[in-house]
Amino acid sequence: MLQKMESIWFDGKLVPWDQAQVHVLTHGLHYGTGVFEGIRTYACPDGTSAVFRLPEHSKRLINSAKILGLDIPYSAEEISKAIIDTLVANKLPEGYIRPLAFAGAGDMGVYPGNNPTHTIIAAWPWGAYLGAEALELGIRVKTSSFARMHVNTLMSKSKAAGNYVNSVLAKMEVKHDGYDEALMLDTNGYVCEATGENFFIVRKGVIKTPPLTAILDGITRDSIITIARDLGYTVEEQLFTRDEVYYADEAFFSGTAAELTPIRELDNRVIGEGHAGPVTKALQEAFFKAAKGHDPRYGHWLTSYTF
């Protein structure tokens, strides 16, 4: 259950949590015309807190809106400041942040016309997305029967609300079958991504991840690739099929919510040793050190605040 906080930033001002409301004829509610971000903030060893890669997330929100043709009346810098203001107002040292911009009420056809664009920022405490034990033991994954959308069907580089109906269908399908998460293929049958995570495999010490052709350009994905190369690993961005996953030595998901979650099984095939492998553990440790301010090499990824 989501923990209610004191305030939500709504169109330029902080309002009480329960008063952050929209009309039932809001265009984004009916047609999915909205864009959002998922961002994490972490408590750091010096007593401050830090938002992980805040400028990149704010910029991606603006770019997602541009792809959808939504006009957000704020700059990326203004969004970043509003996020910090929201965290401070709610006295939240660690948790999850959800900025959202969406077409409001007005015209009710598919075309949003001159409907206003509203922007909100909410934040709340949130632990491991797929469960704390999953970070060590790994999760069970099933290939979904739902393919990731073709690049000319929906815009895969926009973190658009409507795109996630595809994810919801896939997630519901595999959860009903007793799995933790879905792996999705692209329309050509190649491994793509999960319902809200990017995907990696490890084989013979080489890390592979699908190219950006039909997937979201994940900020955590980019962080993992950077950290892996800094640690001396070879990272290849290339297409591969799910049978290559079956005999991989390791596999894991990355994402703001999922952080770095190992995969122990895909389609009832055990991956590697059936738990987080050595490369996954090394990357996981390095990622959390970077995100929580323990590694000065990645200090430029952190936006600090206190309250």
Side-chain angles (χ1 to χ4, degrees):
M1 179 67 71
L2 188 66
Q3 182 178 333
K4 184 167 72 172
M5 302 300 289
E6 183 176 329
S7 303
I8 289 176
W9 190 92
F10 198 128
D11 286 347
K13 61 182 180 180
L14 289 160
V15 301
W17 181 282
D18 290 332
Q19 293 179 24
Q21 299 175 357
V22 297
H23 196 277
V24 294
L25 295 183
T26 292
H27 196 276
L29 180 62
H30 291 258
Y31 299 108
T33 44
V35 296
F36 69 94
E37 279 296 313
I39 313 172
R40 277 197 188 263
T41 185
Y42 293 95
C44 297
D46 63 359
T48 67
S49 294
V51 183
F52 187 67
R53 303 197 68 172
L54 176 57
E56 292 89 341
H57 279 289
S58 296
K59 183 62 176 177
R60 190 171 66 179
L61 182 75
I62 299 297
N63 288 341
S64 290
K66 184 177 184 179
I67 291 170
L68 253 63
L70 292 176
D71 182 21
I72 297 181
Y74 304 100
S75 67
E77 292 75 19
E78 289 171 324
I79 293 294
S80 292
K81 181 182 182 302
I83 287 170
I84 297 299
D85 290 345
T86 303
L87 292 168
V88 171
N90 286 293
K91 296 181 173 58
L92 186 65
E94 191 164 73
Y96 186 82
I97 307 155
R98 171 53 56 89
L100 169 73
F102 57 96
D107 289 345
M108 269 306 292
V110 171
Y111 177 59
N114 295 317
N115 294 23
T117 300
H118 298 292
T119 309
I120 69 98
I121 298 164
W124 59 87
W126 204 14
Y129 175 57
L130 295 168
E133 68 283 353
L135 295 176
E136 171 61 29
L137 300 177
I139 60 173
R140 298 181 68 239
V141 178
K142 180 179 173 64
T143 304
S144 175
S145 67
F146 294 97
R148 212 54 161 155
M149 54 271 184
H150 187 274
V151 293
N152 285 327
T153 301
L154 291 170
M155 301 287 97
S156 62
K157 298 301 177 291
S158 176
K159 199 169 174 66
N163 289 4
Y164 281 77
V165 172
N166 182 234
S167 295
V168 170
L169 290 170
K171 186 85 167 188
M172 290 174 63
E173 175 186 41
V174 302
K175 289 289 283 185
H176 289 164
D177 289 339
Y179 294 84
D180 301 302
E181 183 56 286
L183 179 65
M184 305 184 73
L185 310 180
D186 66 19
T187 52
N188 292 313
Y190 292 101
V191 170
C192 196
E193 56 189 347
T195 63
E197 304 90 12
N198 291 121
F199 182 71
F200 293 80
I201 61 172
V202 183
R203 187 162 182 265
K204 296 182 178 179
V206 175
I207 301 167
K208 287 187 180 182
T209 190
L212 294 176
T213 310
I215 67 173
L216 185 71
D217 188 359
I219 292 169
T220 305
R221 173 187 182 274
D222 177 74
S223 304
I224 295 299
I225 290 172
T226 299
I227 290 169
R229 287 174 174 159
D230 287 347
L231 290 174
Y233 293 107
T234 298
V235 182
E236 298 177 351
E237 297 179 72
Q238 62 177 237
L239 295 172
F240 53 88
T241 54
R242 61 173 160 166
D243 49 2
E244 188 170 347
V245 182
Y246 293 155
Y247 60 77
D249 299 321
E250 304 175 43
F252 61 88
F253 288 133
S254 74
T256 295
E259 296 166 313
L260 200 158
T261 301
I263 298 164
R264 70 174 188 264
E265 185 182 303
L266 173 64
D267 298 339
N268 299 313
R269 279 86 164 178
V270 174
I271 306 298
E273 298 298 319
H275 53 74
V279 176
T280 301
K281 286 183 176 180
L283 292 174
Q284 200 178 57
E285 180 181 4
F287 171 76
F288 281 119
K289 282 183 177 179
K292 297 182 178 184
H294 292 274
D295 191 334
R297 291 178 298 173
Y298 305 106
H300 61 287
W301 284 348
L302 307 180
T303 301
S304 298
Y305 65 95
T306 57
F307 48 83

